[in-house]
Amino acid sequence: MLLLSAALSVLLLIPLAGGYLLAGVPAALGIGMGYVVLLRPALTLPARRVGLLVLAAGLVASVAVALRGQPLAAAAFVALCCLAVAPVNRTGEGMLAGLPTAASVLVAVPGDFDPAAMAGWAVLGGGIAVLVAARVPKATPLPGLDRDRAQRHAVVMAAAAGLVTYLVLALHVPHGYWVALTLTVVLRPFDDQTRTKAWERLVGTFGGIVLAVLLAALLPLWAIAVALTACLVLMTAYALRGDYTRQVLFLTPSVVLLGTPGDLGLVAADRALATVTGAVLAALIAMVMVIVDSRTAGRQEG
């Protein structure tokens, strides 16, 4: 598993590093968002079936960047991406879960981005994800949802993620996109999954923040780069094993240490607060859905 994870990490890191060296943060971000949208379907479906999704990743990236600075339009677009997940969830749950996540990041992440360039980088990242995944044994996709549950999950997530996106943009909340990012990742179609996912993300995030602070305090810059590479390998290994807590634990140092160099404490605090907010919102929404389900079932039995 470690050998496979190391190979995958290297294959995915090379384009990211190359894009960063050629065109800076926008290139690396676009390629990364292509990975976010395409990796899951590419690891579970034949390459020929995910070809159109590469184009979808580029379109989402382009529109999201074009809507920056327009809170209402950006929120509506994030909600639309959430709704687009519904029909796909009927085939395989979570297959396009990265689509609303990428949209919620790109409409709000700080920086100056060109829509056409971002589309190109996202298509490149998605294409690389498909090519890399073609060399890996296919994973078993999660079973699909029934129509009602798929539609309800999409509508609830669209309303929640859209509202959060609007508020963090309108109120200029620092790193507020992490709230919507956490919400779109944690909120699952089944209530027990949401509670478990929320707890795992909280534990993984706080553990990762502690690890990031220790790395920054104890290691020189070159050693931090080596440590982050090792974290990426371990993150990939735990993702392949389905261990979400440790996946987040080893992902978080990269986000914190690369987020805002020179202001580690502020970035860590912002990320922790945003993660808690997003996870708690997801858990509360799940509780409400359970109550509604129980009352609906009671009326039907009556």
Side-chain angles (χ1 to χ4, degrees), residues 25-52:
V25 172
L29 180 63
I31 293 172
M33 289 301 102
Y35 292 170
V36 168
V37 176
L38 267 297
L39 265 179
R40 181 176 293 187
L43 287 170
T44 54
L45 299 175
R48 64 180 182 277
R49 294 184 59 184
V50 296
L52 287 177

Side-chain angles (χ1 to χ4, degrees), residues 108-298:
V109 66
D112 185 18
F113 308 113
D114 176 70
M118 185 60 69
W121 291 119
V123 167
L124 177 61
I128 291 170
V130 173
L131 291 175
V132 171
R135 307 299 179 185
V136 179
K138 296 299 180 184
T140 302
L142 295 174
L145 308 174
D146 62 82
R147 183 184 62 183
D148 291 342
R149 186 174 288 275
Q151 290 179 345
R152 185 184 61 180
H153 170 255
V155 170
V156 169
M157 187 165 67
L163 179 60
V164 166
T165 300
Y166 175 77
L167 291 176
V168 299
L169 289 176
L171 299 177
H172 304 287
V173 178
H175 300 102
Y177 63 92
W178 274 329
V179 180
L181 184 155
T182 301
L183 185 63
T184 57
V185 170
V186 170
L187 186 58
R188 312 293 289 177
F190 306 104
D191 58 280
D192 56 336
Q193 285 188 358
T194 295
R195 287 196 296 269
T196 301
K197 209 80 167 179
W199 175 248
E200 290 174 344
R201 189 165 186 87
L202 285 174
V203 172
T205 295
F206 282 106
I209 288 172
V210 172
L211 178 59
V213 172
L214 290 175
L215 291 176
L218 300 176
L219 299 179
L221 185 59
W222 67 267
I224 290 176
V226 174
L228 290 181
T229 302
C231 285
L232 180 60
V233 173
L234 290 170
M235 183 272 292
T236 305
Y238 284 118
L240 292 174
R241 291 187 59 184
D243 189 331
Y244 187 65
T245 301
R246 289 180 174 85
Q247 176 190 344
V248 175
L249 169 65
F250 289 107
L251 172 64
T252 299
S254 299
V255 177
V256 172
L257 292 174
L258 298 178
T260 307
D263 203 358
L264 176 60
L266 179 60
V267 175
D270 284 346
R271 176 165 172 76
L273 179 59
T275 299
V276 170
T277 303
V280 169
L281 282 174
L284 290 175
I285 291 169
M287 290 175 59
V288 172
M289 293 174 70
V290 171
I291 295 173
V292 171
D293 272 350
S294 300
R295 292 181 177 177
T296 301

Side-chain angles (χ1 to χ4, degrees), residues 75-89:
F77 179 66
V78 170
L80 182 61
C81 289
C82 294
L83 294 175
V85 172
V88 181
N89 270 347

